[in-house]
Amino acid sequence: MFDKLDPRSPTPLYAQIANRLRVAIAAGELRPGAALPSVRHLAAELRVNPATVVQAYHDLESEGFLEMRQGAGTFVREVAPESRARERARQASALVRQMLSEAGRLGVSLHEVQAAIADEIGVGTA
Amino acid sequence: MTNIIEIRQLHYRAGKTFEIKQLDLNVPPGAIYGFLGPNGSGKTTTIRLALGLLRPLTGRITVLGDAIPDHAPRVLARVGYVPEQPNLDPVLTVRETLAFQAAFYPTWDRPWAERLVRQFDLDERQPFGRLSKGQKGKVMMLLALAQRPDLLVLDEPTDGLDPVVRRDVLSALLDYVSQRQATVFISSHLVHELERFCDWIGVMDNGRLVTEVPMERFKNGIKRLRVAGAPPTAAGAPFMLLAREHANGGAETWVVRDWEPGMAAYFETIGAALNDVIDLDLEEGFVELLRTFRSPRG
Protein backbone atom coordinates (compact mmCIF):
# COMPACT_ATOMS: atom_id res chain seq x y z
CA MET A 1 0.00 0.00 0.00
CA PHE A 2 2.86 2.36 0.85
CA ASP A 3 5.55 1.10 -1.53
CA LYS A 4 5.99 4.26 -3.52
CA LEU A 5 6.28 6.96 -0.88
CA ASP A 6 8.53 9.65 -2.27
CA PRO A 7 10.25 11.84 0.32
CA ARG A 8 11.61 14.02 -2.51
CA SER A 9 8.15 14.87 -3.81
CA PRO A 10 6.75 18.34 -3.11
CA THR A 11 3.66 16.57 -1.71
CA PRO A 12 4.38 16.20 2.01
CA LEU A 13 4.77 12.64 3.29
CA TYR A 14 1.73 12.86 5.58
CA ALA A 15 -0.42 13.77 2.57
CA GLN A 16 1.06 10.89 0.57
CA ILE A 17 0.28 8.43 3.37
CA ALA A 18 -3.26 9.81 3.83
CA ASN A 19 -3.84 9.54 0.10
CA ARG A 20 -2.76 5.88 -0.07
CA LEU A 21 -5.19 5.09 2.74
CA ARG A 22 -8.01 7.07 1.10
CA VAL A 23 -7.51 5.12 -2.12
CA ALA A 24 -7.44 1.78 -0.27
CA ILE A 25 -10.66 2.65 1.58
CA ALA A 26 -12.40 3.92 -1.56
CA ALA A 27 -11.38 0.79 -3.46
CA GLY A 28 -12.65 -1.46 -0.67
CA GLU A 29 -9.16 -2.82 -0.10
CA LEU A 30 -9.50 -1.65 3.51
CA ARG A 31 -12.89 -2.78 4.86
CA PRO A 32 -14.95 -0.97 7.51
CA GLY A 33 -13.77 -2.00 10.96
CA ALA A 34 -10.30 -2.95 9.72
CA ALA A 35 -7.53 -2.01 12.16
CA LEU A 36 -4.72 0.19 10.89
CA PRO A 37 -1.13 -0.30 12.02
CA SER A 38 -0.20 1.62 15.16
CA VAL A 39 1.61 4.93 14.72
CA ARG A 40 4.72 3.40 16.23
CA HIS A 41 4.65 0.40 13.91
CA LEU A 42 3.95 2.34 10.73
CA ALA A 43 6.55 5.05 11.49
CA ALA A 44 9.23 2.39 12.03
CA GLU A 45 8.21 0.44 8.96
CA LEU A 46 8.13 3.45 6.65
CA ARG A 47 11.06 5.11 8.41
CA VAL A 48 9.14 8.35 8.76
CA ASN A 49 8.62 10.71 11.68
CA PRO A 50 5.87 9.42 14.03
CA ALA A 51 4.31 12.89 13.82
CA THR A 52 3.90 12.34 10.06
CA VAL A 53 1.76 9.22 10.65
CA VAL A 54 -0.25 10.97 13.37
CA GLN A 55 -1.00 13.84 11.03
CA ALA A 56 -2.12 11.49 8.23
CA TYR A 57 -4.43 9.61 10.63
CA HIS A 58 -5.85 12.85 12.04
CA ASP A 59 -6.61 14.21 8.59
CA LEU A 60 -8.46 11.03 7.63
CA GLU A 61 -10.32 11.04 10.92
CA SER A 62 -11.59 14.57 10.33
CA GLU A 63 -12.68 13.53 6.81
CA GLY A 64 -14.69 10.67 8.33
CA PHE A 65 -12.61 7.81 6.92
CA LEU A 66 -11.03 6.69 10.19
CA GLU A 67 -11.83 6.51 13.84
CA MET A 68 -9.10 6.80 16.46
CA ARG A 69 -10.13 5.06 19.67
CA GLN A 70 -8.08 5.99 22.68
CA GLY A 71 -5.94 3.06 23.73
CA ALA A 72 -7.56 0.66 21.23
CA GLY A 73 -6.13 1.83 17.92
CA THR A 74 -7.23 3.30 14.62
CA PHE A 75 -10.03 1.74 12.57
CA VAL A 76 -11.64 2.22 9.18
CA ARG A 77 -15.14 3.67 9.49
CA GLU A 78 -18.21 2.63 7.61
CA VAL A 79 -18.10 4.87 4.56
CA ALA A 80 -21.23 5.47 2.47
CA PRO A 81 -20.97 4.02 -1.07
CA GLU A 82 -21.57 7.52 -2.50
CA SER A 83 -18.61 9.00 -0.69
CA ARG A 84 -16.45 6.06 -1.77
CA ALA A 85 -17.53 6.69 -5.36
CA ARG A 86 -16.83 10.41 -4.87
CA GLU A 87 -13.34 9.59 -3.61
CA ARG A 88 -12.68 7.34 -6.63
CA ALA A 89 -13.84 10.15 -8.95
CA ARG A 90 -11.49 12.52 -7.15
CA GLN A 91 -8.61 10.09 -7.66
CA ALA A 92 -9.49 9.74 -11.34
CA SER A 93 -9.41 13.54 -11.78
CA ALA A 94 -6.07 13.69 -9.98
CA LEU A 95 -4.63 11.06 -12.32
CA VAL A 96 -5.83 12.97 -15.38
CA ARG A 97 -4.51 16.29 -14.05
CA GLN A 98 -1.15 14.71 -13.43
CA MET A 99 -1.08 13.19 -16.90
CA LEU A 100 -2.06 16.45 -18.61
CA SER A 101 0.54 18.49 -16.77
CA GLU A 102 3.20 15.94 -17.70
CA ALA A 103 1.97 16.03 -21.31
CA GLY A 104 2.21 19.84 -21.25
CA ARG A 105 5.82 19.66 -20.09
CA LEU A 106 6.66 17.22 -22.90
CA GLY A 107 4.79 19.27 -25.49
CA VAL A 108 2.30 16.47 -26.22
CA SER A 109 -1.01 17.88 -27.51
CA LEU A 110 -4.44 17.10 -26.06
CA HIS A 111 -5.36 15.41 -29.30
CA GLU A 112 -2.36 13.12 -29.10
CA VAL A 113 -3.18 12.28 -25.46
CA GLN A 114 -6.77 11.39 -26.40
CA ALA A 115 -5.59 9.22 -29.28
CA ALA A 116 -3.15 7.45 -26.95
CA ILE A 117 -5.89 6.81 -24.36
CA ALA A 118 -8.21 5.37 -27.01
CA ASP A 119 -5.34 3.25 -28.25
CA GLU A 120 -4.45 1.96 -24.76
CA ILE A 121 -8.08 1.15 -23.90
CA GLY A 122 -8.43 -0.61 -27.26
CA VAL A 123 -5.34 -2.68 -26.56
CA GLY A 124 -6.39 -3.38 -22.96
CA THR A 125 -9.86 -4.68 -23.80
CA ALA A 126 -9.06 -6.46 -27.04
CA MET B 1 9.36 24.30 27.27
CA THR B 2 12.98 25.20 26.72
CA ASN B 3 15.14 23.76 23.98
CA ILE B 4 16.75 20.36 24.47
CA ILE B 5 20.02 21.60 22.98
CA GLU B 6 20.75 25.31 23.07
CA ILE B 7 24.02 26.82 21.91
CA ARG B 8 24.76 30.54 22.11
CA GLN B 9 27.63 32.49 20.56
CA LEU B 10 29.94 29.51 20.58
CA HIS B 11 33.52 30.02 19.54
CA TYR B 12 36.03 27.21 19.19
CA ARG B 13 39.38 26.88 17.44
CA ALA B 14 41.51 23.86 16.58
CA GLY B 15 44.88 24.53 15.03
CA LYS B 16 45.32 27.53 12.77
CA THR B 17 42.76 26.79 10.11
CA PHE B 18 39.66 25.27 11.69
CA GLU B 19 37.28 27.48 13.59
CA ILE B 20 33.67 27.47 14.76
CA LYS B 21 32.38 31.01 14.90
CA GLN B 22 29.34 32.64 16.51
CA LEU B 23 27.38 29.43 16.53
CA ASP B 24 23.75 29.65 17.70
CA LEU B 25 21.78 26.43 17.56
CA ASN B 26 18.39 25.31 18.96
CA VAL B 27 16.94 21.82 19.08
CA PRO B 28 13.31 21.96 20.27
CA PRO B 29 11.83 19.19 22.46
CA GLY B 30 10.63 16.16 20.50
CA ALA B 31 12.34 17.27 17.30
CA ILE B 32 14.17 14.96 14.95
CA TYR B 33 16.82 17.47 13.99
CA GLY B 34 18.91 16.76 10.89
CA PHE B 35 22.36 18.32 11.11
CA LEU B 36 23.64 18.65 7.56
CA GLY B 37 26.87 19.82 6.07
CA PRO B 38 29.74 18.69 3.87
CA ASN B 39 32.62 16.72 5.33
CA GLY B 40 34.83 18.99 7.41
CA SER B 41 32.14 21.63 7.95
CA GLY B 42 32.26 21.25 11.76
CA LYS B 43 29.38 18.87 12.48
CA THR B 44 31.38 16.40 14.57
CA THR B 45 33.19 19.20 16.41
CA THR B 46 29.86 20.84 17.26
CA ILE B 47 28.52 17.53 18.56
CA ARG B 48 31.63 16.97 20.69
CA LEU B 49 31.33 20.49 22.08
CA ALA B 50 27.64 19.93 22.89
CA LEU B 51 28.50 16.79 24.85
CA GLY B 52 31.35 18.43 26.77
CA LEU B 53 34.03 16.35 25.04
CA LEU B 54 35.70 19.53 23.79
CA ARG B 55 35.96 22.91 25.51
CA PRO B 56 34.85 26.07 23.69
CA LEU B 57 36.84 29.31 23.87
CA THR B 58 33.66 31.26 24.64
CA GLY B 59 29.92 30.72 24.46
CA ARG B 60 27.16 28.95 26.34
CA ILE B 61 25.85 25.40 25.87
CA THR B 62 22.77 23.95 27.56
CA VAL B 63 21.67 20.34 27.03
CA LEU B 64 18.50 18.91 28.65
CA GLY B 65 18.33 22.02 30.80
CA ASP B 66 21.83 21.75 32.27
CA ALA B 67 24.98 23.72 31.44
CA ILE B 68 27.78 21.98 29.54
CA PRO B 69 30.54 21.21 30.43
CA ASP B 70 29.78 21.92 34.16
CA HIS B 71 27.03 19.30 34.44
CA ALA B 72 28.23 16.94 31.73
CA PRO B 73 27.99 13.72 33.82
CA ARG B 74 24.35 14.38 34.75
CA VAL B 75 23.50 15.26 31.16
CA LEU B 76 25.38 12.35 29.57
CA ALA B 77 23.46 9.87 31.77
CA ARG B 78 20.37 10.88 29.77
CA VAL B 79 21.98 11.02 26.33
CA GLY B 80 22.43 8.14 23.90
CA TYR B 81 25.47 8.97 21.80
CA VAL B 82 26.62 7.19 18.66
CA PRO B 83 30.04 8.60 17.73
CA GLU B 84 31.31 8.70 14.17
CA GLN B 85 33.94 6.07 14.94
CA PRO B 86 33.11 3.10 17.19
CA ASN B 87 34.89 3.57 20.52
CA LEU B 88 34.35 0.08 21.96
CA ASP B 89 36.86 -2.51 23.10
CA PRO B 90 37.40 -4.84 20.12
CA VAL B 91 38.25 -7.81 22.37
CA LEU B 92 34.95 -7.88 24.30
CA THR B 93 32.17 -9.98 22.81
CA VAL B 94 28.83 -8.44 21.98
CA ARG B 95 27.36 -9.93 25.17
CA GLU B 96 30.23 -8.52 27.28
CA THR B 97 29.95 -5.16 25.57
CA LEU B 98 26.25 -4.98 26.48
CA ALA B 99 26.91 -5.99 30.09
CA PHE B 100 29.72 -3.42 30.35
CA GLN B 101 27.53 -0.63 29.00
CA ALA B 102 24.52 -1.65 31.12
CA ALA B 103 26.58 -1.20 34.29
CA PHE B 104 26.87 2.54 33.62
CA TYR B 105 23.17 3.19 32.98
CA PRO B 106 20.54 2.65 35.71
CA THR B 107 17.90 3.15 33.02
CA TRP B 108 19.23 0.23 30.92
CA ASP B 109 16.35 -1.81 29.47
CA ARG B 110 17.59 -5.39 29.44
CA PRO B 111 14.60 -7.14 27.83
CA TRP B 112 14.55 -4.60 25.07
CA ALA B 113 18.31 -4.87 24.53
CA GLU B 114 17.86 -8.62 24.12
CA ARG B 115 15.01 -8.14 21.71
CA LEU B 116 17.16 -5.77 19.64
CA VAL B 117 20.00 -8.34 19.57
CA ARG B 118 17.57 -10.79 17.95
CA GLN B 119 15.95 -8.19 15.73
CA PHE B 120 19.38 -7.06 14.48
CA ASP B 121 20.45 -10.69 14.07
CA LEU B 122 23.66 -10.21 16.09
CA ASP B 123 25.85 -13.07 17.28
CA GLU B 124 26.47 -12.30 20.96
CA ARG B 125 29.53 -14.56 21.15
CA GLN B 126 31.48 -12.61 18.53
CA PRO B 127 34.15 -10.16 19.68
CA PHE B 128 33.21 -6.60 18.67
CA GLY B 129 36.43 -6.25 16.67
CA ARG B 130 35.50 -9.15 14.41
CA LEU B 131 32.06 -7.83 13.48
CA SER B 132 31.35 -6.47 10.02
CA LYS B 133 30.89 -2.73 9.63
CA GLY B 134 27.12 -3.19 9.45
CA GLN B 135 27.02 -5.27 12.62
CA LYS B 136 29.16 -2.72 14.44
CA GLY B 137 26.73 0.00 13.38
CA LYS B 138 23.85 -2.05 14.80
CA VAL B 139 25.64 -2.61 18.12
CA MET B 140 26.34 1.12 18.44
CA MET B 141 22.68 1.98 17.86
CA LEU B 142 21.55 -0.78 20.21
CA LEU B 143 23.74 0.57 23.03
CA ALA B 144 22.40 4.10 22.54
CA LEU B 145 18.75 2.95 22.52
CA ALA B 146 18.80 0.38 25.33
CA GLN B 147 19.81 3.01 27.88
CA ARG B 148 16.41 4.68 27.22
CA PRO B 149 17.80 8.17 26.67
CA ASP B 150 15.80 11.40 26.53
CA LEU B 151 18.12 12.67 23.81
CA LEU B 152 19.87 10.74 21.06
CA VAL B 153 22.94 12.31 19.51
CA LEU B 154 23.91 10.39 16.39
CA ASP B 155 27.00 11.33 14.41
CA GLU B 156 26.73 9.83 10.93
CA PRO B 157 25.16 6.65 12.37
CA THR B 158 24.61 5.05 8.97
CA ASP B 159 27.75 6.20 7.18
CA GLY B 160 29.23 3.32 5.20
CA LEU B 161 26.41 0.91 6.07
CA ASP B 162 24.56 -1.00 3.37
CA PRO B 163 20.91 -0.10 2.63
CA VAL B 164 19.46 -3.11 4.48
CA VAL B 165 21.37 -2.32 7.67
CA ARG B 166 20.54 1.39 7.38
CA ARG B 167 16.89 0.46 7.18
CA ASP B 168 17.01 -1.78 10.26
CA VAL B 169 18.92 0.78 12.32
CA LEU B 170 16.63 3.69 11.39
CA SER B 171 13.47 1.63 11.96
CA ALA B 172 14.65 0.79 15.48
CA LEU B 173 15.41 4.47 16.08
CA LEU B 174 11.96 5.62 14.92
CA ASP B 175 10.28 2.87 16.89
CA TYR B 176 11.99 4.19 20.02
CA VAL B 177 11.11 7.80 19.24
CA SER B 178 7.42 6.86 18.84
CA GLN B 179 7.39 5.18 22.23
CA ARG B 180 9.28 7.77 24.18
CA GLN B 181 8.92 11.09 22.38
CA ALA B 182 12.69 11.38 22.68
CA THR B 183 14.54 14.16 20.89
CA VAL B 184 17.00 13.20 18.15
CA PHE B 185 19.99 15.16 16.89
CA ILE B 186 21.37 13.34 13.85
CA SER B 187 24.20 14.42 11.59
CA SER B 188 24.60 13.05 8.11
CA HIS B 189 25.79 13.93 4.69
CA LEU B 190 23.26 11.44 3.27
CA VAL B 191 20.69 14.12 2.64
CA HIS B 192 17.95 11.88 1.24
CA GLU B 193 17.97 9.73 4.31
CA LEU B 194 17.16 12.70 6.54
CA GLU B 195 14.47 13.97 4.21
CA ARG B 196 12.22 11.08 5.23
CA PHE B 197 11.91 11.73 8.94
CA CYS B 198 13.56 14.95 10.12
CA ASP B 199 11.30 17.83 11.07
CA TRP B 200 14.10 20.34 11.68
CA ILE B 201 17.17 21.05 9.57
CA GLY B 202 20.39 22.81 10.48
CA VAL B 203 23.03 23.31 7.81
CA MET B 204 26.72 23.80 8.63
CA ASP B 205 29.40 25.04 6.29
CA ASN B 206 32.93 26.05 7.10
CA GLY B 207 32.36 26.21 10.86
CA ARG B 208 29.17 28.28 10.66
CA LEU B 209 25.49 27.50 10.85
CA VAL B 210 24.11 28.60 7.48
CA THR B 211 20.46 28.01 8.29
CA GLU B 212 18.16 26.44 10.87
CA VAL B 213 14.50 25.94 9.92
CA PRO B 214 11.61 23.47 10.15
CA MET B 215 11.99 20.93 7.33
CA GLU B 216 8.67 21.85 5.69
CA ARG B 217 9.69 25.48 5.44
CA PHE B 218 13.06 24.60 4.01
CA LYS B 219 11.53 22.37 1.37
CA ASN B 220 8.64 24.65 0.51
CA GLY B 221 10.63 27.83 0.34
CA ILE B 222 13.37 26.86 -2.11
CA LYS B 223 12.27 26.88 -5.75
CA ARG B 224 13.68 26.99 -9.23
CA LEU B 225 11.83 29.52 -11.40
CA ARG B 226 11.73 29.81 -15.17
CA VAL B 227 11.65 33.51 -15.97
CA ALA B 228 11.64 35.43 -19.24
CA GLY B 229 12.23 39.10 -20.02
CA ALA B 230 13.54 40.15 -16.62
CA PRO B 231 15.68 43.32 -16.32
CA PRO B 232 19.36 42.78 -15.39
CA THR B 233 18.80 43.95 -11.83
CA ALA B 234 15.65 42.74 -10.14
CA ALA B 235 14.98 45.26 -7.39
CA GLY B 236 12.51 44.90 -4.53
CA ALA B 237 12.02 41.16 -4.81
CA PRO B 238 9.92 39.75 -1.94
CA PHE B 239 12.04 36.55 -1.91
CA MET B 240 15.77 35.96 -1.64
CA LEU B 241 17.47 35.39 -4.96
CA LEU B 242 20.11 32.67 -4.56
CA ALA B 243 21.21 32.20 -8.15
CA ARG B 244 20.37 33.52 -11.58
CA GLU B 245 21.44 31.73 -14.74
CA HIS B 246 20.85 32.45 -18.40
CA ALA B 247 19.29 29.72 -20.47
CA ASN B 248 18.76 30.11 -24.24
CA GLY B 249 16.63 32.75 -25.96
CA GLY B 250 16.37 35.35 -23.16
CA ALA B 251 15.02 32.78 -20.72
CA GLU B 252 16.55 32.50 -17.28
CA THR B 253 16.57 30.12 -14.36
CA TRP B 254 16.33 31.65 -10.90
CA VAL B 255 16.85 29.81 -7.66
CA VAL B 256 15.02 31.55 -4.83
CA ARG B 257 14.44 31.14 -1.13
CA ASP B 258 11.44 32.08 1.06
CA TRP B 259 9.09 31.66 -1.89
CA GLU B 260 5.31 31.90 -1.45
CA PRO B 261 2.69 31.43 -4.19
CA GLY B 262 1.45 35.04 -3.99
CA MET B 263 4.87 36.29 -5.06
CA ALA B 264 4.22 35.44 -8.72
CA ALA B 265 2.68 38.93 -9.06
CA TYR B 266 6.12 40.46 -8.52
CA PHE B 267 7.19 39.45 -12.03
CA GLU B 268 4.50 41.60 -13.64
CA THR B 269 5.75 44.63 -11.74
CA ILE B 270 9.21 44.24 -13.31
CA GLY B 271 7.78 43.50 -16.76
CA ALA B 272 8.87 39.87 -16.79
CA ALA B 273 7.06 36.56 -17.25
CA LEU B 274 7.14 33.72 -14.73
CA ASN B 275 6.74 30.54 -16.78
CA ASP B 276 7.24 27.78 -14.26
CA VAL B 277 7.83 27.17 -10.54
CA ILE B 278 9.73 23.95 -9.83
CA ASP B 279 10.09 22.39 -6.40
CA LEU B 280 13.58 21.48 -5.27
CA ASP B 281 14.08 18.52 -2.99
CA LEU B 282 16.21 18.71 0.13
CA GLU B 283 19.45 17.74 -1.60
CA GLU B 284 19.05 20.24 -4.43
CA GLY B 285 18.02 22.95 -1.98
CA PHE B 286 21.01 22.13 0.19
CA VAL B 287 23.43 22.35 -2.75
CA GLU B 288 21.98 25.69 -3.90
CA LEU B 289 22.11 27.06 -0.37
CA LEU B 290 25.80 26.19 0.04
CA ARG B 291 26.63 27.54 -3.40
CA THR B 292 25.21 30.96 -2.49
CA PHE B 293 26.67 30.94 0.98
CA ARG B 294 30.12 30.38 -0.45
CA SER B 295 29.98 32.83 -3.32
CA PRO B 296 31.22 36.33 -2.50
CA ARG B 297 28.36 38.73 -1.80
CA GLY B 298 27.76 41.17 -4.63
Side-chain angles (χ1 to χ4, degrees):
Chain A
M1 197 182 301
F2 298 108
D3 23 312
K4 277 187 191 150
L5 285 188
D6 180 8
R8 305 174 60 179
S9 156
T11 308
L13 280 168
Y14 75 85
Q16 293 184 44
I17 293 170
N19 208 34
R20 299 306 154 88
L21 289 168
R22 243 183 247 118
V23 171
I25 293 169
E29 193 186 327
L30 279 175
R31 294 274 170 201
L36 264 71
S38 69
V39 168
R40 176 181 162 191
H41 183 89
L42 194 56
E45 187 185 310
L46 301 178
R47 281 160 295 128
V48 299
N49 198 308
T52 302
V53 179
V54 170
Q55 190 169 356
Y57 282 8
H58 272 308
D59 284 4
L60 290 173
E61 186 181 40
S62 63
E63 291 167 24
F65 285 103
L66 298 180
E67 185 185 355
M68 297 174 85
R69 288 186 221 140
Q70 197 67 47
T74 303
F75 300 90
V76 178
R77 277 179 59 172
E78 186 77 57
V79 182
E82 309 86 75
S83 64
R84 277 175 50 186
R86 208 164 42 236
E87 182 54 35
R88 281 201 300 277
R90 227 172 56 89
Q91 295 295 337
S93 308
L95 282 174
V96 170
R97 256 200 316 279
Q98 195 184 334
M99 182 173 70
L100 291 180
S101 96
E102 191 69 13
R105 253 180 234 275
L106 296 172
V108 176
S109 76
L110 193 56
H111 183 72
E112 286 165 313
V113 171
Q114 278 172 318
I117 291 175
D119 205 31
E120 280 294 324
I121 292 173
V123 171
T125 54
Chain B
M1 211 179 137
T2 52
N3 288 314
I4 298 296
I5 301 179
E6 198 166 285
I7 295 178
R8 289 285 172 274
Q9 289 298 306
L10 189 72
H11 190 186
Y12 173 83
R13 193 180 299 140
K16 276 187 182 148
T17 51
F18 184 75
E19 203 177 13
I20 286 187
K21 290 162 287 219
Q22 293 157 10
L23 184 76
D24 282 341
L25 186 142
N26 304 284
V27 179
I32 303 183
Y33 186 116
F35 196 37
L36 292 174
N39 291 326
S41 57
K43 300 192 298 291
T44 295
T45 306
T46 303
I47 286 173
R48 293 175 62 82
L49 285 160
L51 297 178
L53 305 172
L54 294 172
R55 298 291 163 112
L57 293 172
T58 55
R60 191 164 60 78
I61 304 169
T62 313
V63 178
L64 293 165
D66 281 317
I68 295 285
D70 301 4
H71 298 293
R74 189 158 76 201
V75 171
L76 293 182
R78 298 169 60 200
V79 175
Y81 171 44
V82 173
E84 200 177 15
Q85 297 295 332
N87 52 353
L88 299 170
D89 189 332
V91 182
L92 295 184
T93 65
V94 171
R95 181 183 294 282
E96 288 162 346
T97 303
L98 262 59
F100 181 75
Q101 190 88 356
F104 289 94
Y105 293 94
T107 51
W108 185 264
D109 186 336
R110 204 169 142 196
W112 195 44
E114 278 165 15
R115 198 143 41 86
L116 281 173
V117 167
R118 287 193 299 276
Q119 194 180 316
F120 284 164
D121 202 16
L122 293 166
D123 182 352
E124 286 189 289
R125 293 159 304 176
Q126 282 285 331
F128 184 78
R130 290 236 202 95
L131 298 178
S132 70
K133 193 159 186 191
Q135 287 167 324
K136 282 181 182 156
K138 285 173 171 178
V139 171
M140 299 298 289
M141 184 63 89
L142 189 160
L143 295 180
L145 292 176
Q147 73 185 66
R148 300 215 150 261
D150 295 317
L151 167 66
L152 281 144
V153 177
L154 313 171
D155 193 359
E156 302 271 5
T158 61
D159 191 26
L161 305 185
D162 70 61
V164 180
V165 175
R166 280 220 295 273
R167 220 190 155 99
D168 290 350
V169 162
L170 293 174
S171 286
L173 170 69
L174 289 159
D175 181 40
Y176 178 70
V177 171
S178 310
Q179 285 181 68
R180 284 290 295 245
Q181 274 94 48
T183 303
V184 179
F185 188 71
I186 177 168
S187 88
S188 181
H189 60 264
L190 300 170
V191 179
H192 286 313
E193 192 167 273
L194 298 183
E195 190 159 13
R196 243 183 137 86
F197 53 78
C198 288
D199 45 18
W200 274 83
I201 288 290
V203 179
M204 287 288 283
D205 192 36
N206 196 24
R208 303 180 72 151
L209 191 72
V210 180
T211 193
E212 178 175 79
V213 284
M215 173 75 109
E216 279 309 312
R217 232 184 80 203
F218 186 87
K219 280 180 70 175
N220 286 337
I222 297 194
K223 305 277 180 190
R224 186 178 285 131
L225 311 179
R226 301 237 183 277
V227 180
T233 48
F239 45 77
M240 189 180 180
L241 186 57
L242 295 180
R244 186 172 171 174
E245 280 153 17
H246 290 277
N248 36 17
E252 289 177 30
T253 301
W254 291 20
V255 178
V256 303
R257 216 185 141 187
D258 304 324
W259 173 262
E260 284 169 31
M263 293 174 181
Y266 165 74
F267 288 91
E268 284 169 34
T269 68
I270 58 165
L274 173 64
N275 295 326
D276 208 352
V277 179
I278 301 153
D279 297 285
L280 297 187
D281 67 23
L282 183 61
E283 180 156 353
E284 292 166 316
F286 170 69
V287 169
E288 291 297 346
L289 189 71
L290 289 191
R291 209 155 60 127
T292 350
F293 181 73
R294 289 173 182 181
S295 69
R297 304 287 154 119

